[in-house]
Amino acid sequence: MPNIKSAIKRVKVNAKANVANSQAKSAMRTTVKKAENAIAANAENVQELVQSAHKALDKAASKGLIHKNAAARKKSRLAKKA
């Protein structure tokens, strides 16, 4: 544990950001997985789920959770499957 006040604050802020980022990334993965499962099962709400997955990927890329090219790649592969 650091002794300097600003370093202590950095540790706290980083821990808080880590939790938020983990939750956001997990939510993004979940929406993508739901869309992929719907595509595999030929569900009738595939377009809605793919659209929400695209939105989640864009949001994650804009927040810096994943690289923008990774988001574009995942979106492209999802669209291709659908």
Side-chain angles (χ1 to χ4, degrees):
M1 191 70 186
N3 296 323
I4 299 166
K5 190 175 183 180
S6 61
I8 292 169
K9 183 176 180 182
R10 273 277 123 231
V11 169
K12 290 179 183 176
V13 168
N14 286 338
K16 194 174 179 182
N18 187 14
V19 170
N21 288 339
S22 297
Q23 288 176 341
K25 208 168 187 179
S26 177
M28 181 223 23
R29 286 195 199 109
T30 302
T31 54
V32 170
K33 222 174 261 187
K34 281 182 183 176
E36 287 175 344
N37 290 340
I39 291 167
N42 286 332
E44 58 261 3
N45 61 343
V46 170
Q47 283 305 105
E48 296 167 20
L49 291 171
V50 168
Q51 198 171 13
S52 66
H54 281 197
K55 186 177 178 182
L57 286 165
D58 284 334
K59 200 169 192 180
S62 70
K63 287 184 176 185
L65 297 176
I66 60 173
H67 195 274
K68 64 177 186 145
N69 290 353
R73 181 179 66 243
K74 289 173 191 278
K75 283 168 53 177
S76 173
R77 288 179 180 170
L78 253 182
K80 195 174 181 183
K81 286 179 186 176

